[in-house]
Structure formats: C-alpha cells, structure tokens
C-alpha cells in the first residue's frame, strides 16, 4: 500500500509522500472522525482535474480505511502508521516516521484551530514535534530497536489524541 500511494502522489507532483499524507489524514481523523476525505485530497493534490478515478479511489480508500481503524467502536486496535516495509533502509524508515509525524501535526492543526488542547494532547503534540527533528542518519540494531519503540509510541500517541478529542467533544457538546 505504501509504494502504491507514494507512486500516485509522485504522479501528481504532490508536495508530500505516502507517510506524510497518511499522517495528515490520521491527524484530521483524530480531531474529527467525521472529517471529509475531499478536504484531505485537496490538500494533497490541489488540481484534481487530471486525477484518474482509480488513483482518487486508492487515496480515498486509504482515508476511509484509516477512519475505520481509528473508530473506537471497531474494537480491537488494528491501526498502524503507513510506513515503508522493514526491508527498506533503516534511514528511509526513520525519515518516513519523521515526516509521518509532520503530516499528523499538520492534520491536527488543520482540523483543530482552537487554542484549547484537551487532556494530555498538548503534551503528545510536543512529543511529536520533537520527533519531527529526529536524525535519519541511523544504522545498526540499537537504532532499529529505537525505531520500533518510537513507532509504538506514535501509535499509542495517536490513540491518546483520538480519545482526548472524543472526550473533549462529548464534554463540550452538553
């Protein structure tokens, strides 16, 4: 899926790759599970006139699949970040994780313009901002282990953000 999404984004000269685009989608969905895929698509590819239907469907499918995996009603947590396979160079994996975090921050900011951050979400955002500064010049088992830990942290952080915003909405709607 990662390579396919990357190829589509490259074909249309999008300003970002698959990891960052997925991060943005997840950020938008964490703030508002009902976020519109069309807004996300517009952020990725401004001029959609030449966008082939199959490419648009692939991107929309990624967005909708992310929505389904983030929906707390779907029970078991199967959500994961869209990143390159473990066979790819470690530096490429780290760089993809870094830009995924950038995309996520943008997506949250896109969907949440309020200065008020619910619960622990401000702290999580600070951590993710720090992760956008990680060095992708890495090698060896120690760095591989660190990447796995960071990956798991980011997955957990996404769920914390999702839950904090859901709770925030429920509290402020009454």
């Amino acid at each position: 899926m990662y390579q396919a999404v990357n190829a589509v984004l490259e074909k249309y000269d999008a300003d970002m790759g698959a990891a960052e685009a997925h991060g943005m989608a997840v950020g938008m969905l964490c703030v508002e599970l009902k976020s519109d895929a069309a807004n996300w698509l517009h952020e990725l590819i401004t001029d959609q006139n030449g966008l082939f239907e199959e490419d648009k469907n692939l991107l929309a499918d990624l967005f909708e699949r992310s929505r389904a995996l983030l929906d707390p009603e779907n029970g078991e947590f199967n959500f994961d970040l869209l990143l390159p396979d473990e066979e790819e160079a470690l530096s490429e994996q780290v760089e993809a994780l870094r830009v995924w975090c950038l995309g996520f921050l943008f997506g949250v900011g896109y969907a949440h313009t309020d200065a008020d951050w619910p619960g622990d979400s401000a702290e999580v955002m600070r951590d993710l901002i720090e992760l956008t500064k990680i060095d992708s010049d890495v090698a060896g088992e120690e760095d591989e282990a660190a990447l796995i830990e960071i990956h798991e942290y980011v997955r957990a952080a996404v769920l914390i953000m999702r839950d904090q915003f859901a709770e925030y909405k429920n509290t402020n709607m009454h």
Side-chain angles (χ1 to χ4, degrees):
M1 183 73 166
Y2 179 83
Q3 298 300 348
V5 171
N6 239 2
V8 167
L9 293 173
E10 280 175 18
K11 187 188 328 184
Y12 297 101
D13 293 326
D15 289 338
M16 63 184 76
E20 191 173 354
H22 185 246
M24 186 197 310
V26 171
M28 292 169 76
L29 289 163
C30 271
V31 174
E32 178 52 73
L33 198 58
K34 296 181 183 87
S35 284
D36 190 350
N39 292 336
W40 175 69
L41 273 171
H42 181 72
E43 285 298 322
L44 297 180
I45 302 165
T46 316
D47 180 17
Q48 294 184 19
N49 291 334
L51 187 60
F52 290 117
E53 200 62 33
E54 67 193 73
D55 294 336
K56 186 176 184 175
N57 290 344
L58 176 79
L59 294 173
D61 184 51
L62 173 64
F63 193 89
E64 293 307 327
R65 220 171 325 152
S66 299
R67 181 194 320 270
L69 291 174
L70 283 168
D71 190 336
E73 291 179 14
N74 287 350
E76 194 52 41
F77 177 58
N78 295 315
F79 168 77
D80 203 355
L81 318 182
L82 184 64
L83 297 171
D85 294 332
E86 290 170 14
E87 294 83 56
E88 298 298 330
L90 187 59
S91 59
E92 190 180 321
Q93 293 178 57
V94 171
E95 178 59 16
L97 181 64
R98 187 186 78 74
V99 298
W100 192 97
C101 290
L102 274 174
F104 182 82
L105 293 167
F106 180 84
V108 169
Y110 179 90
H112 182 72
T113 53
D114 195 344
D116 200 14
W117 291 93
D120 298 329
S121 60
E123 189 180 326
V124 170
M125 292 297 278
R126 279 192 291 277
D127 289 349
L128 292 176
I129 289 167
E130 286 305 309
L131 287 176
T132 66
K133 302 171 187 170
I134 57 177
D135 186 358
S136 56
D137 185 16
V138 291
E141 285 180 24
E142 225 173 87
D143 288 340
E144 251 178 79
L147 175 65
I148 291 166
E149 269 184 48
I150 293 168
H151 183 156
E152 286 308 309
Y153 173 80
V154 173
R155 275 182 61 185
V158 165
L159 289 182
I160 290 168
M161 292 292 288
R162 178 203 66 192
D163 293 346
Q164 297 285 317
F165 275 104
E167 200 175 294
Y168 176 74
K169 285 210 168 77
N170 290 338
T171 310
N172 290 328
M173 290 179 88
H174 300 298

